């Protein structure tokens, strides 16, 4: 069985490094959500992994990608400039820069053969070298190579001449192909919440506008420069010898014309002088209409409509940031809030759960079987469980993505859900009141929250995600429903849980089962009793397990429950007829364990049952305490009203045993508390006294007792509970003999039938219970002023009381006079009608 994969560590949470669990807002853009039921998307992908493959989410590649965007922007700006103003033949620094840029572009082509990609269909990271190569060759490779080749440089190497034909200029247009990298760069920035979406969008629109203005200006100058009548051009009319003018003046003039025309200002100082320029102006102004529509439409349709979800997400982020600032929340809470909202946005964008909810139940069941069943069937709790139950559970599970450092279950909380870890890591943290300590780490196919679900207890630890984790959430009620509907599978689940608890608490199965026995069911029963889980205990006993099975030391489940003070478990065991008088290897019964641990309530319950099957139970307990010279236990037993002269199954009293064993302290205590010296048989025989207590000392003790020397037992004797399988009987007098200083039980008496009494009825009286029924009725007549001889005495359930022996301590009794009986009879007749 796969264990909890707990990795013990003594490091506290505050001292742990970031490690793989580091997660901040900067890394949100690098998150790839794993598929439902699959491993982490950042570490696994189609086709396995290769150490030479570069992840597009790697920070170093992101820096390279940003650098390439800068080079693309430079190349896109400089190419129209070189064609228009330098006849496509740059000189000096621009020529060197172009060569360097082309070299970097070539390096980028080589790196792309090693660059993993995200499959547009599955949204998963593909790291297979073969798939990466085939995809690149079939998509962007040809255009990337064409946009990188220096055609003029190759022509120069081949012909030895610098070629400035139009064909080479047109081939240079291929450089603009790499502008798609700039588009991808801005798209990524728009989704990065570290930057303002408004300013990123504005920067994108401004960049598009300036680039088009630049291209239009360069092309308009190129038309004038190639015109044979340069004085009859838009720039020649203003600057006759414009070719002799500085490059700065010519470029500024071209940009000035382009901007004034695009904005429809048109001052008239620069205007078309020939037909070609007029035609160009016509098309440029028409193009400007489209550009203006693009700018306006982009600010409205794309921002408002096309990015509505993004805007809503950004608004929620802004509202959350405002909430954090207004309420002065610590940075850790701020990061948790923002991380949760970001992951929720990403998960909702995939529409996975929404799609599954819309599908028919049969299809959804098949999907869950494919996605979740391979994970759930390997969870330790479900080992051996039938496939039908597993299918029922997986169809009820809901996948959730939890950001790092998120508390899924808090210590001392009673959660309503059970969680299965599909991917990621979850820390098990214990808070000791001063600091948090990470005691374990859960991984894939581990489960948490089952302790609360199966044992009805609060969680002892906090479960906090260490990394981005995918969890399967299952309602505890669903798990219990599955267990109730399939008892056979319920037994497997219980056994797996108990075995796991044994391993977790470093318990040895041999200690529970004994060296020569292989009864696993007995070990389960004893483990449940040791855990105090009465509901589990009930299920195991109903399944037919023996309640009297013992461990290697002879302890039964009753011994364990009594010693630990688990009253509910004791009642369940008594309900299933366990043997109260079984002794362990040291001769101790469950009664002895209860009184030794000072669990008085449990002792009362067990003593009442023990007396029914073992008349000498009181004597056996007192003699055992005397044999062990345990004065404290003797004192507790006498406080519970046990007769100090009770005999054990051999006919010996506690005083006789104490004297025979030579335990002076126990003998003195018993004598001072009324033990009969005569019944101790001190004149010889097997029980002859040892010289620990001399006859003179005994006579002195008897004189002190007869003179009224203070007795050590001052407490009111406790009472035992009435029998019954449910363990909910009433408290009553201790049957049998009691010491002389014991108090009579007290009962409450009320006038009127319990079914007709209300808040306005006459108050009752608290009295000491007399010894006979006649005396009791006399007291009732005096206290309640009724004719008790003709009245009916009932309990709170309406049952008639006809004997003083069935009345217990603290009982509530009701005296029903004749007029009340007549009223009840009339009510019954009306109800019959």
């Amino acid at each position: 069985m796969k264990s909890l994969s707990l990795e013990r560590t003594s490091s506290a949470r505050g001292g742990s490094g970031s490690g793989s669990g580091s997660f901040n807002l900067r890394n949100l853009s690098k998150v790839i959500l794993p598929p439902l039921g699959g491993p982490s998307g950042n570490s696994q992908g189609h086709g396995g992994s290769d150490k030479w493959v570069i992840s597009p989410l790697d920070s170093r590649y992101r820096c390279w990608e940003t650098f390439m965007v800068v080079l693309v922007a430079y190349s896109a700006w400089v190419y129209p400039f070189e064609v228009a103003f330098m006849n496509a033949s740059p000189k000096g620094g621009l020529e060197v820069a172009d060569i360097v840029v082309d070299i970097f572009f070539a390096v980028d082509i080589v790196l792309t053969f090693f660059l993993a990609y995200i499959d547009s269909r599955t949204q998963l990271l593909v790291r297979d070298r073969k798939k990466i190569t085939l995809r690149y060759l079939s998509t962007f490779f040809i255009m990337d190579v064409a946009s990188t080749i220096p055609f003029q440089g190759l022509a120069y190497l081949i012909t030895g001449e610098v070629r400035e034909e139009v064909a080479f200029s047109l081939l240079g247009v291929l450089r603009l192909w790499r502008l798609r990298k700039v588009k991808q760069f801005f798209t990524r920035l728009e989704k990065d919440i570290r930057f303002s979406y408004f300013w990123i969008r504005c920067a994108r629109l401004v960049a598009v506008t300036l680039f088009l203005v630049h291209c239009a200006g360069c092309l308009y100058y190129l038309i004038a420069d190639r015109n044979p009548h340069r004085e009859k051009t838009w720039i020649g009319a203003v600057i006759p010898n414009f070719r002799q003018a500085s490059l700065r003046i010519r470029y500024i003039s071209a940009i000035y014309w382009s901007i004034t025309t695009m904005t429809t200002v048109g001052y008239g100082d620069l205007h078309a002088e020939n037909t070609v320029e007029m035609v160009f102006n016509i098309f440029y102004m028409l193009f400007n209409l489209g550009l203006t529509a693009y700018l306006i439409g982009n600010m409205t349709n794309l921002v408002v409509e096309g990015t509505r979800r993004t805007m809503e997400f950004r608004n929620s982020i802004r509202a959350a940031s405002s909430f954090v600032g207004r309420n002065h929340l610590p940075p850790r809470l701020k990061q948790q809030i923002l991380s949760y909202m970001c992951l929720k946005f990403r998960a909702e964008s995939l529409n996975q759960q929404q799609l599954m909810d819309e599908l028919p139940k049969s299809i959804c069941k098949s999907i869950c079987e494919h996605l979740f069943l391979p994970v759930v069937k390997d969870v330790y709790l479900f080992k051996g469980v039938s496939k039908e139950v597993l299918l029922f559970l997986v169809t009820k599970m809901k996948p959730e993505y939890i950001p790092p450092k998120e508390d899924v279950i808090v210590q001392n909380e009673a959660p309503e859900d059970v969680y299965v870890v599909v991917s990621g890591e979850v820390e098990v943290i214990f808070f000791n009141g001063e600091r948090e300590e990470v005691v374990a780490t859960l991984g894939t196919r581990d489960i948490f929250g089952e302790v609360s679900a199966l044992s009805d207890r609060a969680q002892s630890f906090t479960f906090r995600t260490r990394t981005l984790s995918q969890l399967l959430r299952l309602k505890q009620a669903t798990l219990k429903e599955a267990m109730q509907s399939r008892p056979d599978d319920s037994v497997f689940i219980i056994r797996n849980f108990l075995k796991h608890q044994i391993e977790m608490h470093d318990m040895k199965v041999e200690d529970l089962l004994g060296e020569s026995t292989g009864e696993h069911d007995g070990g389960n029963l004893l483990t449940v009793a040791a855990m105090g889980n009465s509901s589990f205990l009930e299920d195991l006993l109903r399944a037919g397990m023996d309640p009297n099975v013992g461990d290697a030391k002879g302890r039964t489940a009753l011994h364990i429950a009594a010693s630990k003070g688990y009253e509910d478990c004791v009642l369940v065991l008594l309900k299933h007829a366990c043997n109260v008088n079984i002794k362990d290897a040291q001769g101790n019964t469950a009664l002895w364990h209860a009184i030794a641990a000072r669990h008085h309530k449990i002792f009362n319950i067990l003593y009442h049952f023990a007396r029914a099957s073992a008349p000498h139970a009181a004597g056996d307990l007192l003699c055992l305490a005397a044999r062990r010279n345990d004065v404290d236990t003797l004192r507790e037993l006498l406080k519970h009203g046990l007769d100090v002269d009770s005999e054990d199954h051999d006919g010996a009293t506690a005083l006789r045993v104490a004297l025979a064993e030579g335990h002076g302290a126990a003998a003195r205590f018993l004598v001072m508390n009324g033990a009969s010296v005569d019944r101790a048989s001190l004149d010889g025989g097997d029980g002859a006294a040892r010289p620990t207590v001399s006859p003179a000392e005994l006579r002195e003790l008897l004189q002190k007792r007869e003179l009224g020397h203070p007795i050590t037992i001052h407490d009111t004797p406790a009472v035992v509970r009435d029998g019954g399988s449910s363990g909910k009987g009433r408290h009553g007098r201790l049957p049998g003999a009691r010491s002389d200083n014991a108090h009579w039980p007290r009962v409450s008496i009320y006038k009127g039938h319990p079914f007709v009494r209300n808040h306005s009825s006459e108050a009752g009286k608290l009295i000491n219970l007399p010894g006979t029924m006649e005396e009791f009725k006399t007291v009732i007549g005096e206290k309640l002023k009724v004719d008790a001889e003709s009245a009916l005495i009932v309990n709170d359930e309406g049952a008639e009381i006809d004997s003083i022996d069935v009345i217990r301590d603290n009982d509530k009794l009701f005296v029903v006079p004749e007029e009340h009986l007549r009223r009840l009879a009339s009510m019954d007749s009306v109800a019959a009608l």
Side-chain angles (χ1 to χ4, degrees):
M1 182 192 73
K2 186 181 186 304
S3 180
L4 191 64
S5 68
L6 298 180
E7 301 172 358
R8 298 286 179 180
T9 175
S10 59
S11 63
R13 177 183 177 272
S16 60
S18 58
S20 61
S22 61
F23 189 88
N24 50 46
L25 302 180
R26 180 180 181 182
N27 295 331
L28 284 174
S29 60
K30 303 178 182 180
V31 171
I32 295 180
L33 297 181
L36 298 180
S40 175
N42 290 347
S43 59
Q44 298 291 337
H46 291 297
S49 178
D50 191 325
K51 64 178 182 178
W52 296 106
V53 173
I54 303 172
S55 171
L57 308 178
D58 188 270
S59 299
R60 292 169 295 180
Y61 181 77
R62 284 287 178 89
C63 294
W64 169 263
E65 193 175 34
T66 303
F67 176 65
M68 292 304 299
V69 168
V70 175
L71 296 184
V72 169
Y74 164 79
S75 179
W77 174 84
V78 79
Y79 168 71
F81 181 82
E82 291 176 349
V83 171
F85 296 93
M86 296 182 177
N87 294 325
S89 298
K91 302 295 189 297
L94 283 178
E95 184 179 12
V96 175
D98 288 346
I99 294 174
V100 172
V101 169
D102 288 338
I103 292 175
F104 277 109
F105 284 165
V107 173
D108 186 62
I109 291 175
V110 176
L111 289 179
T112 307
F113 281 103
F114 299 89
L115 180 65
Y117 67 93
I118 297 177
D119 193 331
S120 60
R121 183 175 59 87
T122 63
Q123 294 297 310
L124 298 179
L125 192 66
V126 178
R127 302 176 63 92
D128 189 292
R129 284 279 304 280
K130 183 178 179 181
K131 291 183 179 181
I132 294 173
T133 302
L134 291 176
R135 176 180 179 269
Y136 186 46
L137 290 175
S138 61
T139 52
F140 303 135
F141 173 73
I142 296 177
M143 292 299 297
D144 285 349
V145 172
S147 63
T148 304
I149 295 176
F151 293 101
Q152 286 183 320
L154 290 178
Y156 177 78
L157 292 176
I158 295 173
T159 63
E161 299 178 0
V162 178
R163 311 296 293 271
E164 299 181 358
E165 287 84 354
V166 177
F168 290 97
S169 299
L170 293 177
L171 288 174
V173 176
L174 295 175
R175 290 189 177 188
L176 301 181
W177 161 255
R178 289 188 175 267
L179 284 174
R180 60 186 179 86
K181 286 186 173 292
V182 180
K183 176 181 177 296
Q184 296 171 354
F185 177 73
F186 277 108
T187 301
R188 177 162 58 88
L189 289 183
E190 288 175 358
K191 292 181 173 58
D192 195 330
I193 66 173
R194 295 176 297 159
F195 306 103
S196 171
Y197 176 80
F198 175 79
W199 292 113
I200 293 297
R201 196 67 181 176
C202 288
R204 180 174 184 170
L205 297 177
V206 169
V208 170
T209 304
L210 292 179
F211 175 70
L212 294 176
V213 167
H214 169 74
C215 291
C218 291
L219 184 57
Y220 199 45
Y221 177 83
L222 180 64
I223 294 174
D225 187 65
R226 296 297 189 271
N227 195 307
H229 307 287
R230 294 187 178 90
E231 67 279 358
K232 294 182 180 181
T233 60
W234 65 273
I235 191 172
V238 180
I239 308 175
N241 296 319
F242 63 87
R243 277 201 164 189
Q244 279 71 40
S246 66
L247 180 62
R248 180 174 62 87
I249 293 176
R250 287 181 286 162
Y251 179 71
I252 292 177
S253 299
I255 298 300
Y256 171 76
W257 168 87
S258 181
I259 290 179
T260 56
T261 304
M262 185 193 69
T263 56
T264 68
V265 175
Y267 293 110
D269 49 351
L270 296 175
H271 57 273
E273 294 287 343
N274 55 61
T275 305
V276 177
E277 292 177 351
M278 291 179 184
V279 173
F280 179 80
N281 280 344
I282 291 173
F283 283 101
Y284 182 54
M285 286 186 284
L286 291 176
F287 174 78
N288 285 338
L289 293 177
L291 180 61
T292 304
Y294 168 79
L295 294 176
I296 297 176
N298 196 68
M299 294 299 294
T300 55
N301 187 40
L302 293 181
V303 175
V304 177
E305 296 296 334
T307 58
R308 178 179 54 84
R309 288 191 68 256
T310 303
M311 288 301 297
E312 291 177 355
F313 166 66
R314 300 300 298 232
N315 290 336
S316 62
I317 290 293
R318 184 165 55 252
S321 301
S322 176
F323 174 80
V324 171
R326 183 170 61 255
N327 295 281
H328 305 289
L329 298 181
R332 177 176 174 271
L333 281 178
K334 177 181 179 181
Q335 181 171 331
Q336 285 184 347
I337 293 172
L338 296 182
S339 299
Y340 170 79
M341 298 181 71
C342 290
L343 288 180
K344 181 181 177 182
F345 172 75
R346 288 178 173 270
E348 288 178 351
S349 64
L350 298 177
N351 294 323
Q352 298 181 117
Q353 189 59 47
Q354 180 180 357
L355 176 62
M356 292 182 63
D357 293 339
E358 294 176 354
L359 293 174
K361 187 175 181 180
S362 58
I363 299 179
C364 185
K365 182 177 180 180
S366 300
I367 294 175
C368 292
E369 179 181 0
H370 176 74
L371 295 176
F372 304 145
L373 188 59
V375 176
V376 174
K377 70 179 183 181
D378 290 336
V379 175
Y380 86 87
L381 192 66
F382 304 120
K383 294 288 187 180
V385 177
S386 64
K387 187 175 181 180
E388 290 77 8
V389 172
L390 291 178
L391 285 177
F392 173 77
L393 294 176
V394 297
T395 54
K396 299 295 183 180
M397 291 180 173
K398 302 295 182 183
E400 292 183 351
Y401 295 102
I402 309 297
K405 306 304 178 183
E406 183 77 15
D407 291 341
V408 183
I409 295 178
V410 181
Q411 185 174 336
N412 298 325
E413 176 187 55
E416 298 180 353
D417 304 302
V418 178
Y419 296 89
V420 176
V421 182
V422 178
S423 62
E425 295 180 345
V426 178
E427 294 178 333
V428 183
I429 299 174
F430 178 74
F431 180 67
N432 58 11
E434 297 180 357
R435 59 184 301 211
E436 292 182 342
E437 181 180 357
V438 179
V439 298
T441 301
L442 307 184
T444 303
R445 291 175 171 80
D446 285 331
I447 187 172
F448 59 95
E450 80 281 11
V451 174
S452 178
L454 299 179
S455 62
D456 297 326
R457 289 185 176 184
Q459 286 290 341
S460 302
F461 303 95
T462 293
F463 294 88
R464 180 178 298 153
T465 55
R466 183 170 179 264
T467 62
L468 172 65
S469 303
Q470 181 189 164
L471 306 178
L472 296 178
R473 177 170 57 86
L474 176 67
K475 289 289 185 182
Q476 291 185 6
T478 303
L479 177 59
K480 293 179 180 179
E481 178 185 351
M483 295 175 63
Q484 292 174 359
S485 61
R486 297 294 296 268
D488 295 338
D489 292 314
S490 177
V491 172
F492 279 108
I493 293 176
I494 293 173
R495 286 179 177 177
N496 294 334
F497 175 73
L498 294 177
K499 183 178 179 180
H500 187 69
Q501 291 298 312
I502 292 173
E503 295 176 357
M504 287 297 300
H505 292 88
D506 297 327
M507 299 169 63
K508 295 182 179 179
V509 181
E510 292 77 7
D511 292 340
L512 294 174
L513 305 180
E515 297 178 356
S516 60
T517 178
E519 299 179 1
H520 233 64
D521 291 347
N524 291 339
L525 192 71
L526 297 173
T527 306
V528 172
M531 293 169 54
N533 192 332
S534 59
S535 60
F536 258 3
L537 196 61
E538 180 82 22
D539 292 338
L540 294 176
L541 293 173
R542 284 179 180 176
M545 294 186 183
D546 184 6
N548 297 321
V549 66
D551 62 6
K553 299 178 181 178
R555 297 175 302 172
T556 66
L558 187 63
H559 285 86
I560 297 173
S563 63
K564 292 182 176 294
Y566 297 143
E567 180 183 354
D568 292 340
C569 292
V570 170
L571 294 175
V572 169
L573 290 166
L574 293 176
K575 177 181 177 181
H576 288 271
C578 69
N579 191 342
V580 183
N581 301 307
I582 293 179
K583 296 181 179 180
D584 60 15
Q586 297 179 351
N588 300 325
T589 63
L591 270 170
W592 176 266
H593 284 292
I595 195 64
R598 303 302 185 258
H599 300 309
H600 301 291
K601 196 172 183 180
I602 294 178
F603 175 81
N604 289 332
I605 298 172
L606 294 176
Y607 181 69
H608 178 75
F609 279 86
R611 289 188 70 255
S613 57
H616 300 289
D620 289 338
L621 284 172
L622 289 170
C623 290
L624 181 60
R627 187 174 291 108
R628 296 176 176 178
N629 198 26
D630 192 341
V631 177
D632 291 336
T633 302
L634 285 171
R635 181 180 293 106
E636 296 298 326
L637 291 172
L638 294 182
K639 286 181 181 180
H640 280 272
L642 273 66
D643 186 2
V644 70
D645 289 324
S646 298
E647 297 180 353
D648 64 3
H649 59 280
D650 294 327
T653 64
L655 180 58
R656 178 180 178 181
V657 171
L659 294 174
E661 296 290 337
H663 298 321
R668 296 184 186 92
F669 175 81
L670 291 169
V671 171
M672 292 302 299
N673 283 277
S676 174
V677 177
D678 296 334
R679 296 181 63 181
S681 302
L682 300 178
D683 296 333
D686 296 337
R690 297 179 184 179
T692 304
V693 181
S694 64
E697 185 178 359
L698 282 176
R699 287 192 294 271
E700 182 181 356
L701 292 174
L702 291 174
Q703 291 176 359
K704 288 183 178 180
R705 189 177 69 182
E706 293 174 357
L707 292 176
H709 192 81
I711 300 299
T712 58
I713 304 299
H714 301 289
D715 296 355
T716 301
V719 294
V720 298
R721 300 180 68 175
D722 191 14
S725 60
S726 63
K728 297 182 180 179
R730 300 181 305 275
H731 289 57
R733 294 179 298 166
L734 182 67
R738 65 165 76 78
S739 58
D740 296 337
N741 60 336
H743 294 289
W744 290 100
R746 298 182 301 176
V747 295
S748 300
I749 55 176
Y750 302 89
K751 183 178 179 180
H753 198 281
F755 296 163
V756 298
R757 283 180 58 85
N758 51 45
H759 296 292
S760 60
S761 300
E762 180 181 348
K765 304 289 185 180
L766 182 64
I767 64 172
N768 289 322
L769 184 65
T772 64
M773 198 67 178
E774 291 75 14
E775 295 176 356
F776 183 42
K777 290 185 177 182
T778 302
V779 174
I780 291 175
E782 294 176 354
K783 297 293 184 181
L784 299 181
K785 308 301 181 184
V786 296
D787 184 7
E789 295 297 333
S790 60
L792 185 67
I793 303 175
V794 298
N795 62 4
D796 53 359
E797 299 176 354
E800 182 180 357
I801 304 296
D802 58 1
S803 173
I804 196 71
D805 293 330
V806 300
I807 303 176
R808 303 297 177 186
D809 190 28
N810 291 331
D811 272 353
K812 292 183 178 180
L813 304 179
F814 298 85
V815 181
V816 187
E818 290 184 358
E819 58 270 18
H820 285 199
L821 291 174
R822 289 192 294 270
R823 187 186 308 170
L824 287 173
S826 62
M827 292 173 59
D828 292 339
S829 61
V830 172
L833 294 177

